[in-house]
């Protein structure tokens, strides 16, 4: 059987039936642009708080078409930003509150899915972070200390303890963090869309917004007029007028295997359904899926010139080969298992790599996003935050440091293409450097880190 390439993602076992497009001009109390996690969570919490609100969600394709239906399925407490840098600006206590709120949001998502009857395949097995050479092990040890400084529950594991969880080849060291669950991401997005519709929210798919202005969102088939218009477009934001350089659409790719036989799972383990990541510069992320496949991802082609996005998730064949090599390297037990599907999608990266949530009460325009790949959980917190901002409620989450945070625009082309491509080439070289036995982080990566994080 040949590998399926694209068709949005493996998480959609079949394409959903499309909801009707916007049939003409409409009025609403709140208009949300984008039916991914951010837009859907915002609609959910708004409607729960005030059932009288008329809420319309506009979506260019279908609910979950973007990163919400293509990601690695890590429902984790990962912060979409640099905690130490944010602490210098906003104070450690606020950033610590942000971290705690994200950790709590893992359980919030699971609880809502259960209460709404959404079968998202959630298993809170935590995350296993691994190192496979001395330089990676040094970074992993530093990461353990860093997580503990931010009061996160992490447990260092010996090679033997880690192997009892998952029999990973070439393991040097590992740690386990508690606040992470495996999910089927498209199932969560689709279920959440159905839940908000049951509450009375109107979703119009096939309704790409071509312009957002105070009081209105314009599509080719009509305009929604509303005093509050919220942008929740993440990696597709640069396609909107005036926002070409606002966020960079970073590309991430994935593959999924055929279902793996029980005898091979007996060799691998992975009974806890932990997610797995590593401390390489060109890192991978993986999960054991609901239907007993392995899905693994990374960033082989990180950016397309001019902030272009993919065509329905189609990924270069060389990327499928590269991710397959990574999978076989860490789990040689599956070397004879065919790869069923390869796909990709975009996530949004602000220039300072810090996500934000905001509402301008003067114009009625709001937005949330820039999750730098850590959005599965952060979108829930962002949706609750936007709901509180719209309802003018001062709550602990409206005081978190990402509320109102702004980053400057990215450089014009060709500078951003050259910069991003150059940085990822540097990280690949650094990984090769470290794989040859270097005991500390490659100086190539240290220089790239400084450039990457330059505000």
């Amino acid at each position: 059987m040949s590998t399926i390439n694209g068709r949005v993602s493996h998480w959609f076992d079949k394409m959903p039936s499309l909801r009707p497009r916007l049939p003409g001009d409409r009025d609403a109390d709140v208009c949300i642009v984008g039916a991914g996690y951010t837009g859907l969570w915002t609609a959910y919490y708004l409607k729960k708080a005030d059932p009288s609100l008329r809420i319309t969600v506009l979506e260019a394709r279908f609910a979950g078409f973007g990163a919400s239906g293509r990601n690695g399925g890590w429902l984790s407490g990962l912060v979409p930003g640099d905690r130490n840098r944010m602490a210098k600006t906003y104070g450690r206590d606020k950033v610590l509150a942000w971290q705690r709120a994200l950790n709590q949001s893992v359980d919030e998502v699971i609880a809502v899915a259960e209460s709404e009857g959404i079968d998202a395949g959630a298993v809170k097995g935590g995350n296993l972070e691994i190192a496979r050479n001395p330089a990676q092990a040094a970074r992993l040890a530093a990461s353990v200390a860093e997580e503990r400084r931010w009061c996160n529950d992490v447990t260092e594991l010996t090679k033997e303890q880690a192997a009892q969880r998952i029999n990973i080849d070439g393991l040097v060291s590992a740690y386990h963090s508690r606040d992470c669950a495996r999910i089927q991401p498209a199932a969560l997005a689709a279920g959440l869309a159905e839940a908000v519709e049951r509450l009375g929210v109107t979703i119009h798919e096939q309704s790409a917004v071509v312009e957002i202005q105070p009081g209105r969102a314009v599509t080719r088939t009509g305009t929604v007029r509303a005093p509050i218009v919220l942008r929740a477009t993440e990696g597709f934001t640069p396609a909107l007028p005036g926002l070409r350089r606002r966020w960079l659409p970073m590309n991430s790719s994935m593959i999924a295997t055929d279902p793996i036989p029980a005898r091979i799972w007996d060799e691998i383990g992975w009974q806890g359904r932990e997610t797995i990541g590593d401390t390489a510069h060109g890192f991978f992320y993986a999960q054991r899926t609901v239907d007993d496949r392995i899905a693994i991802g990374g960033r082989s082609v990180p950016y397309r010139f001019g902030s272009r996005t993919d065509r329905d998730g189609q990924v270069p064949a060389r990327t499928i080969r590269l991710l397959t090599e990574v999978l076989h390297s860490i789990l040689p037990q599956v070397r004879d298992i065919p790869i069923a599907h390869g796909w990709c999608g975009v996530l949004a990266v602000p220039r300072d790599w810090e996500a934000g949530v905001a509402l301008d009460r003067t114009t009625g325009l709001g937005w949330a996003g820039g999750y730098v790949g850590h959005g599965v959980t952060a979108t829930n917190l962002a949706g609750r935050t936007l709901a509180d901002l719209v309802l003018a409620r001062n709550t602990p989450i409206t005081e978190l440091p990402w509320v109102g945070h702004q980053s400057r625009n990215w450089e014009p082309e060709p500078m951003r293409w050259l910069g991003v491509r150059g940085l990822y080439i540097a990280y690949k070289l650094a990984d090769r450097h470290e794989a040859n036995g270097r005991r500390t982080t490659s100086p190539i990566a240290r220089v790239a880190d400084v450039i990457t994080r330059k505000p």
Side-chain angles (χ1 to χ4, degrees):
M1 183 184 72
S2 61
T3 300
I4 296 171
N5 191 337
R7 299 185 193 173
V8 186
S9 83
H10 181 75
W11 305 122
F12 292 99
D13 55 354
K14 61 180 180 180
M15 288 298 97
S17 299
L18 296 177
R19 295 173 174 88
R21 60 175 48 89
L22 181 68
D25 294 350
R26 293 291 186 272
D27 292 329
D29 297 312
V30 180
C31 178
I32 299 171
V33 181
Y37 291 151
T38 300
L40 294 172
W41 282 124
T42 303
Y44 180 83
Y45 289 106
L46 274 171
K47 198 68 174 175
K48 280 283 194 177
D50 186 351
S52 70
L53 285 174
R54 298 171 301 157
I55 302 173
T56 296
V57 179
L58 299 175
E59 166 58 42
R61 295 290 294 275
F62 56 83
F65 172 79
S68 299
R70 308 192 204 184
N71 64 78
W74 285 34
L75 182 65
S76 77
L78 290 168
V79 170
D82 185 315
R83 290 171 297 198
N84 292 308
R85 189 164 61 193
M86 291 289 273
K88 290 179 181 178
T89 303
Y90 302 106
R92 173 180 166 80
D93 287 347
K94 282 197 170 186
V95 179
L96 188 58
W98 190 26
Q99 177 67 80
R100 287 172 175 156
L102 286 162
N103 291 345
Q104 292 163 2
S105 295
V106 174
D107 295 325
E108 170 71 7
V109 172
I110 294 172
V112 172
E114 290 177 352
S115 68
E116 296 292 346
I118 301 171
D119 184 7
V123 178
K124 193 178 179 184
N127 179 59
L128 188 68
E129 199 73 9
I130 68 168
R132 299 180 69 235
N133 62 47
Q136 290 181 19
R139 287 196 295 277
L140 187 136
S143 182
V144 168
E146 175 73 1
E147 294 307 311
R148 288 174 175 165
R149 280 196 294 272
W150 291 103
C151 301
N152 279 331
D153 183 6
V154 297
T155 302
E156 292 179 271
L157 303 175
T158 65
K159 289 191 292 185
E160 293 74 20
Q161 288 171 328
Q164 288 174 2
R165 291 176 177 268
I166 308 171
N167 188 16
I168 296 169
D169 195 58
L171 192 70
V172 174
S173 61
Y175 75 76
H176 179 263
S177 56
R178 181 177 60 85
D179 292 301
C180 187
R182 184 279 318 268
I183 65 166
Q184 207 283 31
L188 176 61
L192 193 54
E194 293 171 1
V196 300
E197 284 185 314
R198 288 194 298 270
L199 292 172
V201 172
T202 300
I203 301 175
H204 289 294
E205 297 178 331
Q206 313 171 77
S207 302
V209 170
V210 296
E211 184 182 12
I212 297 174
Q213 293 292 339
R216 62 181 187 151
V218 182
T219 78
R220 289 185 174 86
T221 58
T223 295
V224 175
R225 294 182 176 85
I228 300 291
V229 181
L230 306 176
R231 171 170 53 81
T233 48
E234 194 58 2
F236 298 97
T237 299
L240 290 166
L243 296 173
R244 170 75 62 179
R245 293 165 52 197
R246 191 77 190 95
W247 290 335
L248 186 142
M250 185 75 74
N251 196 65
S252 199
S253 304
M254 295 196 73
I255 58 171
T257 67
D258 273 354
I260 295 172
R263 60 179 177 79
I264 296 181
W265 282 121
D266 289 342
E267 297 176 25
I268 296 172
W270 212 339
Q271 299 304 311
R273 272 60 175 180
E274 303 92 337
T275 57
I276 311 175
D278 75 339
T279 49
H281 303 292
F283 58 87
F284 75 84
Y285 49 93
Q287 66 149 284
R288 178 176 176 175
T289 69
V290 173
D291 55 352
D292 281 335
R293 305 169 190 262
I294 294 174
I296 183 170
R299 296 182 187 166
S300 175
V301 182
Y303 177 67
R304 291 178 168 87
F305 187 87
S307 293
R308 290 181 292 112
T309 55
D310 59 88
R311 191 181 186 91
D312 286 0
Q314 191 165 4
V315 64
R318 67 181 183 277
T319 297
I320 295 175
R321 291 194 298 270
L322 174 64
L323 289 173
T324 303
E325 289 171 4
V326 172
L327 173 60
H328 292 169
S329 173
I330 61 173
L331 292 170
Q333 304 93 326
V334 302
R335 189 171 293 276
D336 295 328
I337 304 296
I339 301 302
H341 202 154
W343 71 96
C344 68
V346 293
L347 53 105
V349 178
R351 185 60 183 85
D352 61 0
W353 291 71
E354 309 288 355
V357 183
L359 174 65
D360 184 338
R361 300 214 67 89
T362 302
T363 63
L365 297 178
W367 56 269
Y371 302 114
V372 297
H374 297 164
V376 179
T377 304
T379 51
N380 174 271
L381 181 58
R384 286 186 281 139
T385 305
L386 274 177
D388 283 347
L389 292 173
V390 169
L391 298 170
R393 301 192 302 197
N394 294 321
T395 65
I397 61 174
T398 63
E399 298 299 318
L400 295 176
W402 67 342
V403 177
H405 179 79
Q406 296 275 8
S407 59
R408 69 179 177 89
N409 285 342
W410 282 87
E411 291 78 4
E413 296 290 23
M415 292 175 61
R416 65 178 179 273
W417 184 85
L418 291 170
V420 174
R421 298 284 289 190
L423 286 168
Y424 273 82
I425 289 171
Y427 283 134
K428 287 181 182 179
L429 291 173
D431 279 331
R432 292 176 189 170
H433 192 191
E434 294 173 5
N436 290 329
R438 182 181 175 85
R439 305 196 66 82
T440 58
T441 295
S442 167
I444 301 171
R446 293 187 187 279
V447 172
D449 283 345
V450 171
I451 297 170
T452 300
R453 290 167 173 79
K454 184 178 178 181

